[in-house]
Amino acid sequence: MASVWVPAVLTVVLLLLGGSYSSTGGPWCYNEAHCGPNTWLSIGHCGGKRQSPINILSHDSILNSKLGAVNLTGYEDRKKLLEIKNTGKTVDVELEDGLSLSGHGLPSSYTAKSFHLHWGDGVSKPGSEHTIDSKRYSMELHIVHTKNNMNVSDAVKDPEGIAVLGFFLEGSEKAKSKGKTAEAWEEFIKNLHKVSEKDKDEDLTSTISLLDLLGTTNLTSYYRYLGSLTTPQCNEAVIWTIFTDPILVPPKVVEAFPSELRSSDSSSGPPIKNNFRPLQKIGDRKVERSAGLGSAASFLSQSATLLLFLSITSLAASFPV
Ligand SMILES: *[C@@H]1O[C@H](CO)[C@@H](O)[C@H](O)[C@H]1NC(C)=O
Ligand SMILES: *[C@@H]1O[C@H](CO)[C@@H](O)[C@H](O)[C@H]1NC(C)=O
Ligand SMILES: *[C@@H]1O[C@H](CO)[C@@H](O)[C@H](O)[C@H]1NC(C)=O
Ligand SMILES: [Zn+2]
């Protein structure tokens, strides 16, 4: 009897342990083989068919001319950034209620709850999660909203419960250090050292609004598709909106994240870096593009113009004058 019971009891205990690990978020990570993205498949929904991020192929996208500018309300309010926290995986900013998102293709009004970022390792090692025609940008900002202001634990159970706005950040010398957007990001990164270790949080008394951080990004040019959270449990609950117009920031902003933030509770712990999930299969999903990205005809006319240019150049080359 005992010889049967011992393995049976052990199995049950191990199953329970395994279960509690994944339901509490699990010991997942980005940069170590034993807990990195390849091991996430067994956690939550991470092995599903509607996962994020993806590489967006502009030529495979479908124009939806009804997708106009997204309607952002309250984003200009400079008192909405409440608290900043180092989660050990990213830096997360909690937002006060009152910021709302609506627009075509969103079945309801969505309330912004928080924002966080993904990055690589400075300007030379980009770390956006989504890529467009395989281009990866320096960083990616995610503003997380829930449908009708549900709490996140309820929202992840609804296939359209969460709307994330994704904005690329590009470290560039062109971002004039006196520009308003650059100033807002420089102000924002001053908070990072206060939460340099994992689990540290700090109230923000900031005078920056989300709109200050977005700058002049064109809100009419974006891709839209259905996907998931990009971290375990990878819930398939997200309507993604990925803006194509990157926010240009000074290179020092991009450098600040991996250099100021630690992934453990020790000030000498490993930096948070390369915290982006690898690209997921698009499967049979469709990616829509907004009116601001133009019609197939404009793609066609661009290629026609190029062809014309090429033939004129080769004509010129064959008849030297
Ligand atoms: C934008 O959203 C606000 C708040 O939900 C709403 O009052 C307003 O009518 C919307 N504007 C447009 C153009 O949809
Ligand atoms: C989320 O909201 C639901 C419904 O209002 C409530 O029952 C639940 O306890 C809330 N969960 C959390 C974690 O606050
Ligand atoms: C955004 O892009 C669209 C399409 O290219 C353009 O018509 C519009 O003027 C731009 N808006 C701003 C605010 O730059
Ligand atoms: Zn994210």
Side-chain angles (χ1 to χ4, degrees), residues 75-219:
Y75 272 52
E76 70 290 348
D77 190 328
R78 296 209 163 96
K79 294 196 170 64
K80 295 295 189 187
L81 279 57
L82 290 183
E83 188 190 274
I84 186 167
K85 179 172 186 179
N86 177 337
T87 68
K89 308 288 198 297
T90 186
V91 64
D92 197 54
V93 175
E94 188 193 329
L95 299 167
E96 188 168 66
D97 275 358
L99 307 185
S100 73
L101 159 70
S102 60
H104 187 81
L106 296 170
S108 184
S109 168
Y110 287 73
T111 301
K113 296 293 201 184
S114 64
F115 71 82
H116 62 268
L117 297 108
H118 300 266
W119 57 87
D121 191 10
V123 175
S124 61
K125 176 73 176 66
S128 67
E129 293 213 295
H130 289 86
T131 57
I132 296 188
D133 296 329
S134 297
K135 176 170 170 60
R136 199 180 287 284
Y137 291 86
S138 298
M139 299 183 67
E140 190 170 324
L141 166 67
H142 286 162
I143 310 176
V144 180
H145 304 70
T146 63
K147 192 201 253 176
N148 300 324
N149 206 6
M150 270 191 264
N151 59 37
V152 173
S153 40
D154 276 355
V156 294
K157 296 176 198 150
D158 177 335
E160 297 181 326
I162 294 185
V164 182
L165 300 183
F167 293 90
F168 297 121
L169 269 68
E170 188 73 336
S172 164
E173 300 290 350
K174 276 188 286 180
K176 293 192 202 83
S177 55
K178 282 192 174 159
K180 276 196 167 141
T181 316
E183 265 173 34
W185 282 99
E186 282 171 10
E187 193 64 33
F188 180 74
I189 60 171
K190 285 183 190 159
N191 296 299
L192 298 181
H193 77 275
K194 301 176 198 161
V195 295
S196 62
E197 287 112 48
K198 178 173 187 274
D199 294 333
K200 274 202 167 178
D201 52 38
E202 188 76 28
D203 288 343
L204 287 171
T205 46
S206 97
T207 51
I208 322 169
S209 71
L210 266 177
L211 209 54
D212 292 332
L213 294 172
L214 302 184
T216 54
T217 301
N218 194 319
L219 297 174

Side-chain angles (χ1 to χ4, degrees), residues 234-280:
C234 309
N235 306 71
E236 299 186 326
V238 182
I239 301 179
W240 280 97
T241 305
I242 302 291
F243 294 88
T244 56
D245 190 12
I247 303 169
L248 300 184
V249 297
K252 73 171 183 190
V253 169
V254 176
E255 307 290 344
F257 289 82
S259 78
E260 304 262 9
L261 299 166
R262 310 276 141 222
S263 60
S264 76
D265 57 11
S266 151
S267 60
S268 57
I272 302 180
K273 63 178 185 182
N274 300 321
N275 58 348
F276 57 96
R277 187 187 193 193
L279 296 168
Q280 303 295 303

Side-chain angles (χ1 to χ4, degrees), residues 61-82:
S61 67
I62 295 165
L63 173 67
N64 180 345
S65 53
K66 291 191 179 132
L67 291 175
V70 293
N71 179 16
L72 305 179
T73 308
Y75 272 52
E76 70 290 348
D77 190 328
R78 296 209 163 96
K79 294 196 170 64
K80 295 295 189 187
L81 279 57
L82 290 183

